[in-house]
Amino acid sequence: MDESDNPGAAAAAADPEQPSVRLGVLLADPRLGLTQIAGPAAGDRLVGTVGTTEIEDPTPYLVGGELLLTAGVRLPDDPDGIDTYVRRVVAAGVAALGFGVAPVHAEVPPELVRACDRHRLPLLRLPPATPFVAVGQAAYAAIAEVRNRELREISRAQSALASAAARPDALRSVLGQLAAHTGAWSVLYDAQGTELLSAGRRPASPHLLRDLAVRTLRRGGGPKAAAAHDPDQGSHLTVHTLPAGADRTTAAALALGQAATTPPNAVHRQVTGTATVLLALLTSPRHALSTDAHSVGALVRLMLGATPAEVAPSLVPGDGAAGGHWTVVHGRYPDGTPPAVDPAQLAALATLLGTPYVHIDGPALQALVPCAADARPTVPARAAELGWVLGYSAPATACALPHADTQAERALQRALAAGAPAVVHTTDALTLHALVAPADARELSRSRFAPLDRTGPPGAQVLLDTLRTWLTHHGSWDRTAATLRIHRNTVRHRLGRVADLLDVDLQDPGVRMELWFALQWLPGEPADAPHPRP
């Protein structure tokens, strides 16, 4: 794989930053009457300017990309001299040579035709009625039209990116618009090369782009860019590290990668630059933590004695607060502490969850997601790919958040037990909970577990939590120990005490079912609250 640290230079050779026009546009203009008589098919060759010369060696005055016009006033007479002339202008990067017939030459010299074929330089014949100035005027008019078209395309793309940045799923929307306007697979990586979000058609070998992103991020030292070409896959890869803001703790924690089947042109580079800035803003700690006047004001009121119900409406102004409900999310990183806790990572995860209110403490995650009363939580598929297992509560008002917190934790335990990426708490009116009066259920639960109140350390609550986790994991000692972060012998000891104090056989499925329902009816939950299923 060919790699370059200067993607701008590599791209400029194929598509210069300066406005240009395809040679085929000039050949198709009937007012000019141009005809290609030598060299390879040149319809897609780019012309950046039109120059006229009648000197034997014009190369000191060429910059590349010219349509060079000549009437052959001082064209060498011998074949070797003509060959040398053509070889020099080709080395100087001339896009094409235009030869005007009459008054010096009645027709294009055959030696010039053969030399242009030999050196693969497009040779155009200008009829006597076509002034050189007319060719220049047509070229510059076409270039101006191309530039105006590019500016309109850039304007439309930037408008679409700005609208996408204002959406609730801002990161995903911005990447989607970037992919749509550049035709490239666009992906956001963290410092470890984890794919946070992506949009567009995935290439056959996505690991090549990931490896380039990791190498670029590891260089450090602020925003960087890199490019590579994979001839085997026919893909062009580019990576841009997101610029660091004043409130970001690391210089470059995220990178934007793109994989396309063609080199990026000037429009694509401009659009990518805009998207890079937007992504940097959207993943900055200030955006991720929502440190705006509304949130700060709510925090002040809460610390000065206001209740959660009083401050909740000011956390999410607009439609998000109209419903007045929240979904509680609990998460666990089963493989230990997440690989990074940089604010940029927090921002990306917050965007996936659809809320700025996210707290990560080691391998544990808690979040509050504003929602409507009848909304069902939407589980982001990418969160599971980032390594998180999630549990969602049902929508709850601010007053009922403690109960929703319990729902989310129990949903998380079920997800861990089932090996599922996420579990959403559900309610079902046709359950045993609906058939038992809440007061009777709580009294039954209180009396069933009353013997545990007479135990010593570690206490009744620890024994109940161990029993609940063990039942959630379907009687697995090892998984219970891993969830509670204790030794499996400690689990056995605690459950042995539970069995002795309650005088039950925990290997009996009927006893397990009875204890599971009794655990759901423990006092402390709202009487009309739904209960999760085991």
Side-chain angles (χ1 to χ4, degrees), residues 21-279:
V21 64
R22 297 187 184 278
L23 189 58
V25 174
L26 301 179
L27 287 169
D29 191 336
R31 298 169 299 176
L32 301 178
L34 303 180
T35 305
Q36 182 175 352
I37 60 175
D44 290 336
R45 186 162 295 199
L46 297 175
V47 173
T49 186
V50 176
T52 302
T53 180
E54 298 298 345
I55 61 177
E56 294 180 2
D57 183 10
T59 54
Y61 309 100
L62 301 175
V63 296
E66 297 93 348
L67 170 56
L68 187 63
L69 304 180
T70 180
V73 175
R74 303 192 64 179
L75 187 71
D77 296 330
D78 60 297
D80 289 340
I82 292 177
D83 186 86
T84 300
Y85 176 87
V86 173
R87 180 162 36 83
R88 285 173 175 172
V89 297
V90 168
V94 165
L97 182 64
F99 194 91
V101 297
V104 180
H105 294 268
E107 194 50 70
V108 181
E111 294 83 359
L112 181 61
V113 174
R114 286 192 288 271
C116 287
D117 277 332
R118 189 161 46 251
H119 294 287
R120 301 187 59 77
L121 175 66
L123 175 61
L124 310 185
R125 179 186 183 276
L126 278 68
T130 301
F132 286 3
V133 173
V135 177
Q137 289 176 338
Y140 296 135
I143 289 174
E145 175 56 32
V146 169
R147 183 55 177 165
N148 289 335
R149 187 164 57 249
E150 290 178 347
L151 291 175
R152 290 193 296 268
E153 186 177 347
I154 291 172
S155 178
R156 286 194 297 268
Q158 289 178 335
S159 177
L161 288 171
S163 297
R167 291 175 53 89
D169 56 340
L171 281 178
R172 186 181 300 277
S173 297
V174 169
L175 284 177
Q177 290 297 328
L178 177 62
H181 286 277
T182 62
W185 182 56
S186 303
V187 55
L188 194 63
Y189 292 108
D190 67 8
Q192 285 71 40
T194 304
E195 181 183 319
L196 303 177
L197 289 168
S198 67
R201 185 175 180 180
R202 183 180 294 270
S205 302
H207 66 279
L208 298 177
L209 183 60
R210 174 194 176 276
D211 294 343
L212 180 61
V214 171
R215 290 195 299 272
T216 307
L217 283 167
R218 286 177 179 173
R219 293 191 186 109
K224 288 184 176 296
H229 173 59
D230 178 23
D232 296 333
Q233 300 293 335
S235 60
H236 297 264
L237 313 177
T238 58
V239 169
H240 299 269
T241 61
L242 300 191
D247 54 357
R248 178 169 287 175
T249 58
T250 58
L254 298 176
L256 169 65
Q258 292 176 289
T261 56
T262 58
N265 58 33
V267 173
H268 295 162
R269 288 191 288 274
Q270 184 73 30
V271 173
T272 299
T274 300
T276 301
V277 173
L278 287 174
L279 291 172

Side-chain angles (χ1 to χ4, degrees), residues 441-447 449 518-526:
R442 285 195 293 270
E443 181 58 33
L444 174 62
S445 178
R446 185 183 294 107
S447 61
F449 293 116
L519 283 169
Q520 314 311 309
W521 290 327
L522 278 174
E525 297 187 2

Side-chain angles (χ1 to χ4, degrees), residues 424-457:
V424 178
H425 173 83
T426 57
T427 58
D428 188 350
L430 299 178
T431 65
L432 183 61
H433 299 291
L435 302 178
V436 180
D440 293 341
R442 285 195 293 270
E443 181 58 33
L444 174 62
S445 178
R446 185 183 294 107
S447 61
R448 191 70 185 87
F449 293 116
L452 299 184
D453 294 334
R454 298 189 294 271
T455 187

Side-chain angles (χ1 to χ4, degrees), residues 326-407:
W326 300 79
T327 297
V328 179
V329 182
H330 279 205
R332 180 68 60 83
Y333 203 85
D335 297 331
T337 303
V341 292
D342 181 80
Q345 313 295 330
L346 181 59
L349 184 59
T351 303
L352 287 172
L353 296 175
T355 177
Y357 307 112
V358 180
H359 172 64
I360 297 178
D361 183 10
L365 174 151
Q366 292 176 304
L368 283 174
V369 182
C371 65
D374 57 350
R376 177 174 175 81
T378 300
V379 178
R382 305 295 306 180
E385 295 184 20
L386 294 179
W388 291 96
V389 178
L390 303 175
Y392 285 77
S393 76
T397 63
C399 295
L401 283 178
H403 176 58
D405 187 63
T406 300
Q407 290 180 346

